[in-house]
């Protein structure tokens, strides 16, 4: 059960963060379909930064001597860099949507097409292959927190809570959860959040009260880009062994589904992310999931007994669930009224 919870969190947390990224953009009135592309770009930037920093003496020495605090600092720095470059990348969507009043759906699709092509080109230039990896070691040896890292003996039993939330975990997971909570409070409990949401509901009324709609939409999309870039790197770090391949397994589009299923509300989004994270976990690890801890891997056995429940079925499962959920919930979802509509100060 500990393994199932840990793996579910690894998939759910970046999904949750990127879904919140979509909320910030759409609550300001901009449809951000470019979440997938920004995640891909953020993953590349974060992995490339880690690769560069591995050559710096302080981090190389920390890896050799087991200086885990220094390595956790590198992990946080990489998250910040990925967020910063994700925000910069999202400015392309902001400029096209706000200044040029271009179709936001087409703008987001263009970024989704450009990001993997750009990343794969840069990866080929840097590494002369299709995958950009860490210079030495792997994500687990550099960044994973284990019980021995915290001073416990290798054979020590930390109990269910310790084995689940302390042993073999990444600091990035808990940082993202904290960030999700803080930004959700900012969005719904602060003056800035109220102004941002007003621009997505009735920008003309917001403008009449002295709120600069253009600036708020830039702010919402920039925050969205930062969160998506960070989410892309966290995904690459925790599930792809800190490697960039120009792909994030459709997580950006899954995040859009989670956002719609969650009705643009953070609490609902958190629950939906856990649901989708669970199915992604099953798809990736069904052969090693022991739910009851009795040594019986019944999903693997089911796959062996019934050909229908094969590896391909489990891999399709998250996306099948996405389609089913959206089919039953999309009609009840209430999107911001002014999302996707270019703002014109002359209209009333």
């Amino acid at each position: 059960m500990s393994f199932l919870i840990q793996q579910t969190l690894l998939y759910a947390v970046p999904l949750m963060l990127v879904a919140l990224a979509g909320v910030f953009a759409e609550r300001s009135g901009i449809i951000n379909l470019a979440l997938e592309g920004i995640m891909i770009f953020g993953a590349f930037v974060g992995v490339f930064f880690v690769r560069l920093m591995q050559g710096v003496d302080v981090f190389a020495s920390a890896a050799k001597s087991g200086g885990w605090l220094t390595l956790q600092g590198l992990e946080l720095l990489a998250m910040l860099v990925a967020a910063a470059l994700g925000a910069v990348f999202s400015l392309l969507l902001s400029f096209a949507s706000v200044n040029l009043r271009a179709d936001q759906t087409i703008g987001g699709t263009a970024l989704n097409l450009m990001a993997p092509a750009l990343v794969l080109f840069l990866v080929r230039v840097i590494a002369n292959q299709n995958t950009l990896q860490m210079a030495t070691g792997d994500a687990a040896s550099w960044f994973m927190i284990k019980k021995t890292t915290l001073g416990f003996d290798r054979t020590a039993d930390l109990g269910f809570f310790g084995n689940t939330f302390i042993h073999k975990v990444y600091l990035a997971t808990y940082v993202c959860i904290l960030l999700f909570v803080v930004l959700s409070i900012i969005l719904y409990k602060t003056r800035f959040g109220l102004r941002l949401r007003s621009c997505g509901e009735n920008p003309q009324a917001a403008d009449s009260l002295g709120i600069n709609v253009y600036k708020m939409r830039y702010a919402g999309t920039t925050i969205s880009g930062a969160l998506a870039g960070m989410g892309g790197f966290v995904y690459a770090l925790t599930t792809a062994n800190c490697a960039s391949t120009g792909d994030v397994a459709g997580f950006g589009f899954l995040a859009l589904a989670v956002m719609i299923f969650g009705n643009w509300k953070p609490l609902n989004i958190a629950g939906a992310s856990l649901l989708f994270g669970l199915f992604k976990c099953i798809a990736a690890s069904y052969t090693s999931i022991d739910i009851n801890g009795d040594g019986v891997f019944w999903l693997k056995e089911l796959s062996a007994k019934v050909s229908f429940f094969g590896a391909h079925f489990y891999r399709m499962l998250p996306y099948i669930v996405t389609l089913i959920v959206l089919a039953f919930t999309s009609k009840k979802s209430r999107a911001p009224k002014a999302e996707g509509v270019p703002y014109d100060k002359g209209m009333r």
Side-chain angles (χ1 to χ4, degrees):
M1 184 60 75
S2 292
F3 174 80
L4 182 62
I5 294 174
Q6 283 182 337
Q7 293 300 309
T8 298
L9 284 176
L10 289 184
Y11 288 106
V13 167
L15 191 61
M16 183 170 64
L17 194 67
V18 178
L20 185 66
V23 171
F24 266 91
E26 298 203 7
R27 284 296 184 187
S28 71
I30 302 294
I31 298 175
N32 190 356
L33 289 184
L35 293 176
E36 176 88 0
I38 300 173
M39 282 188 74
I40 292 172
F41 188 68
F44 164 76
V45 169
V47 172
F48 183 54
F49 179 79
V50 169
R51 183 185 174 98
L52 288 178
M53 290 298 102
Q54 284 185 303
V56 177
D57 290 339
V58 62
F59 297 118
S61 300
K64 292 179 180 179
S65 62
W68 66 279
L69 283 175
T70 303
L71 296 180
Q72 296 307 311
L74 173 59
E75 181 181 340
L76 294 177
L77 279 175
M79 291 174 64
L80 288 175
V81 171
L85 270 295
V88 171
F89 192 69
S90 71
L91 290 176
L92 293 172
L93 178 63
S94 302
F95 181 76
S97 301
V98 177
N99 296 80
L100 303 182
R101 298 180 185 175
D103 187 287
Q104 296 168 16
T105 302
I106 295 175
T109 303
L111 292 183
N112 282 336
L113 294 173
M114 183 177 75
L118 176 63
V119 165
L120 285 174
F121 170 75
L122 293 174
V123 168
R124 291 287 296 179
V125 170
I126 296 167
N128 197 28
Q129 58 185 5
N130 293 329
T131 302
L132 184 68
Q133 298 173 323
M134 297 172 64
T136 59
D138 54 21
S141 62
W142 275 67
F143 303 116
M144 182 179 281
I145 299 174
K146 304 174 184 177
K147 54 187 173 184
T148 53
T149 307
L150 302 176
F152 295 98
D153 187 74
R154 188 182 299 272
T155 59
D157 184 10
L158 303 181
F160 175 77
F161 181 85
N163 290 330
T164 304
F165 300 107
I166 297 178
H167 181 51
K168 292 185 178 181
V169 297
Y170 289 93
L171 178 63
T173 299
Y174 299 115
V175 171
C176 288
I177 292 174
L178 178 62
L179 192 60
F180 180 86
V181 173
V182 171
L183 289 176
S184 298
I185 292 172
I186 289 174
L187 184 60
Y188 281 92
K189 300 296 181 181
T190 65
R191 180 180 297 178
F192 169 79
L194 178 61
R195 291 181 174 183
L196 184 77
R197 288 183 287 121
S198 69
C199 293
E201 293 293 337
N202 195 328
Q204 282 77 20
D207 194 8
S208 69
L209 295 174
I211 299 172
N212 190 319
V213 176
Y214 299 134
K215 286 185 178 179
M216 295 306 295
R217 289 191 168 182
Y218 258 99
T221 310
T222 302
I223 294 172
S224 178
L227 292 177
M230 182 183 294
F233 171 66
V234 172
Y235 170 82
L237 172 70
T238 57
T239 65
N241 197 25
C242 201
S244 173
T245 60
D247 180 40
V248 288
F251 255 56
F253 297 114
L254 271 178
L256 287 171
V258 167
M259 179 186 67
I260 296 170
F261 178 39
N263 204 19
W264 290 264
K265 295 178 180 179
L267 191 60
N268 294 347
I269 285 172
S273 297
L274 290 173
L275 174 65
F276 286 98
L278 174 62
F279 284 106
K280 284 294 291 184
C281 171
I282 292 173
S285 311
Y286 73 94
T287 59
S288 55
I289 295 176
D290 179 8
I291 296 177
N292 299 324
D294 54 3
V296 178
F297 303 95
W298 64 272
L299 289 176
K300 181 180 179 181
E301 292 183 358
L302 183 64
S303 176
K305 292 178 181 178
V306 184
S307 59
F308 179 77
F309 292 99
H312 296 298
F313 172 77
Y314 286 116
R315 288 170 188 159
M316 290 190 302
L317 194 58
Y319 308 100
I320 294 173
V321 171
T322 300
L323 291 174
I324 294 173
V325 167
L326 288 180
F328 284 99
T329 63
S330 59
K331 290 184 179 180
K332 297 180 181 179
S333 297
R334 182 191 174 278
K337 291 181 180 179
E339 71 164 4
V341 181
Y343 176 60
D344 185 356
K345 290 178 70 71
M347 293 180 61
R348 287 288 181 241

